[in-house]
Amino acid sequence: MSAAAFFRLKKLKGGGILLAAARHNRRTIQAELGADSHINPARSHLNETLCGPPSPDGVAQQAKDAMQAAGVGKLRKDAVVGLEAVFSLPVGHVIDRRQYFAQCVEWAGVQFGGAANIMSADIHHDEAQPHVHVLLVPLVNSRMVGSDMVGNRQTLLALQSKFFDEVARRFGLTKPPARLMGTAKTDAAARVIAAMKASNDPAIKSAAWAVIRAAIECDPAPFMAALGVVMAPKAKHLRSSTAIFTSPGKGPKTEAKQLKPYRVQSAEKEQTLSCVGFASKSPPSIAPISAPTAVQRGSEDRAHIETVRVRDDDMHAESWDSDTGTFHPKPHRDHSQRAAAQAWVSDALRGIKAHRVSATNSTLET
């Protein structure tokens, strides 16, 4: 059977909410029975009560007694005091309504803490689709766990799938169609409207056609299920072997960035004798020894050199990187200047030592 089985679950919060829900289910709210209501009072006598007290006040009192017997104390204002599960049948079904809804109520009792948690179950035949309302008190181990039972979106989706597998499928019903998006929704809406025009559906000539069409374009999936419209499977685009082999793939780009055939090297920074790197660029003045002119001349020469261009022909074979396909030359070091600096340090240390020895001898002679 091509139809859709629906199951909705909502949390009931606030004082008096259970009484209000029971009054709605028993059709005792006169404001809901007006001419502009979605309820057809002429068919309300067909509604059935599967379980629960005969009056809405009795339903609310039964829920209160169940919570008191479980030792539930005073609840917060925003606490979940009840759950309402609604099970609907699609238009045009041919299955036994009472048997189907009885199975839905039994499944709800097992799923939400046991049959004792069911306060009432009412079948409605006076609205667009036949459905049953099941009012429950979410009691588990003397605790109110309504929020945990409803959970999040993933929990609700899991509950709907479980209901379909354990109840709806056995009656020949199919899963509700998924909500369409993008071009798929546009195509589905066009197919639904075309099917209605082909069958000369009376809704097209009604005064509410503009509203019906807007609803179809907003969510065509329920209309497809009701009219038996089936979307043709989208043809899978097959790539050629050339496109597959030349595709960069979906993973991260692992190829190294291609370097230029030459490198630009900056002049080396002048090294100092300070261990923290903040020493003066000029050598420290230690009397009576002065800094050698070789180091100073080397510093002045380097100051005029900004960049050096190195070509591939000048690279050594050991500088070749097979992973990137480029040369990576080692920085050029001027060993002669380094040797001159080390010699200057050695002379400075010897001078300091000689100065100390001379000062010590002078003190002894005195």
Side-chain angles (χ1 to χ4, degrees), residues 283-284 289-299 337 339-348:
I289 302 175
S290 60
T293 58
V295 177
Q296 295 178 352
R297 285 198 303 271
S299 301
Q337 295 177 359
Q342 291 178 348
W344 177 83
V345 172
S346 299
D347 293 341

Side-chain angles (χ1 to χ4, degrees), residues 21-22 75 92 98 142 172 223 231 243 262 276 306 350 353:
L75 300 174
R98 187 178 180 87
S142 300
F223 297 91
M231 289 288 293
Y262 61 85
V276 295
E306 296 181 355
R350 284 196 297 269
K353 184 176 180 181

Side-chain angles (χ1 to χ4, degrees), residues 180 183-192 224 228-236:
L180 302 174
T183 57
K185 182 174 72 172
T186 304
D187 296 342
R191 286 177 176 269
V192 169
M224 293 176 62
V229 177
V230 180
M231 289 288 293
K234 188 176 180 181
K236 186 176 181 181

